[in-house]
Amino acid sequence: MTRTLIHLSGPDTRDFLQGLVTNDVKKLDTAPIYAAMLTPQGKYIADFFLIREGDSDVLMDVNETLSAGLIQRLTMYKLRADVKITPLDGKHLHRGLGPVPEDGWADPRHSEMGWRAWRDTSADQDDVDWDALRVAHLIPESGVELTPDSFILEYNFETLNGVDFRKGCYVGQEVTARMKHKTELRKGLAVVTVDGTADTPAEITSNGKPAGRLLTVAGGRGIAYLRFDRATQDMESGSARISRL
């Protein structure tokens, strides 16, 4: 997935974002963070990384297909806040494993997801199977697992350090907090084994009944969105046999 940057500048930038995103913007003083923006009903709009730029500016590292809609939503909420929202062209995302370079930062979702850096030059093709890493560590991708109307707690956001339950109010916070403290998740992402050839996305069934969707497959494993009450060790997707790990 192609990524792009959005530049937010102005003295109100941090306070503006603090009232909108799922993570605590104060953490930017220490390192980049992973976060999402939700509807008032608590449903997913976009996920992104936030990166400190200078004393008060912030960069958003976001899936390119979500950028225009995200800018429109941010502009709608801006009102009188002294914040300038600008798409930033001419930068290219580099990723890798191993030691973090001086101009890079560790992926905050999981230690095994390596580092990221935005540079003026195009990135060379690497040989890392990023989908296999995502599957192994149950990390959803914008536009693949994460789609409009998703509830982020069903998509592993808490484990991936993408939501802070102590930061205070933000758009969609009430629904997210209620799902955390007052309900037991009945659906959500899971790592599954895939024995055979399976298309994605595709329906998963258990004893002939819908059990979920197979969303990504890599190296004999996959990420699936499942109904947990039907997630058995004997599921199917097309001709492939599916088992939850």
Side-chain angles (χ1 to χ4, degrees), residues 33-194:
I33 61 174
Y34 181 55
M37 191 167 173
L38 310 177
T39 68
Q41 294 76 34
K43 295 183 178 181
Y44 169 89
I45 295 173
D47 63 311
F48 37 76
F49 301 95
L50 297 179
I51 310 149
R52 177 180 176 179
E53 179 81 351
D55 291 334
S56 61
D57 293 2
V58 175
L59 297 176
M60 279 186 162
D61 169 343
V62 64
N63 186 306
E64 188 175 45
T65 62
L66 301 176
S67 177
L70 183 57
I71 290 174
Q72 183 179 35
R73 182 68 63 134
L74 290 167
T75 302
M76 180 184 75
Y77 281 120
K78 188 169 78 72
L79 300 176
R80 296 182 181 179
D82 190 354
V83 179
K84 185 177 181 181
I85 304 163
T86 310
L88 188 61
D89 299 323
K91 295 289 187 180
H92 303 273
L93 178 64
H94 292 241
R95 301 177 68 185
L97 302 177
V100 180
E102 289 187 6
D103 63 342
W105 41 276
D107 190 317
R109 297 172 298 179
H110 195 286
S111 60
E112 296 296 322
M113 290 302 291
W115 54 265
R116 305 168 75 87
W118 284 89
R119 297 169 178 165
D120 295 331
T121 57
S122 298
D124 295 329
Q125 184 69 33
D126 63 47
D127 58 359
V128 177
D129 189 340
W130 294 106
D131 272 346
L133 282 176
R134 288 202 308 107
V135 169
H137 303 295
L138 198 57
I139 297 175
E141 178 70 62
S142 313
V144 181
E145 287 82 24
L146 288 166
T147 57
D149 293 336
S150 304
F151 289 106
I152 61 169
L153 294 191
E154 294 182 343
Y155 287 78
N156 209 30
F157 254 70
E158 184 176 5
T159 301
L160 300 177
N161 307 308
V163 58
D164 190 303
F165 292 100
R166 297 175 296 179
K167 61 164 283 187
C169 294
Y170 56 88
V171 177
Q173 179 265 342
E174 183 177 355
V175 175
T176 305
R178 187 164 62 245
M179 289 185 71
K180 163 69 173 175
H181 298 294
K182 295 186 178 181
T183 64
E184 181 178 351
L185 294 180
R186 299 180 180 180
K187 302 176 183 178
L189 292 188
V191 179
V192 296
T193 59
V194 181

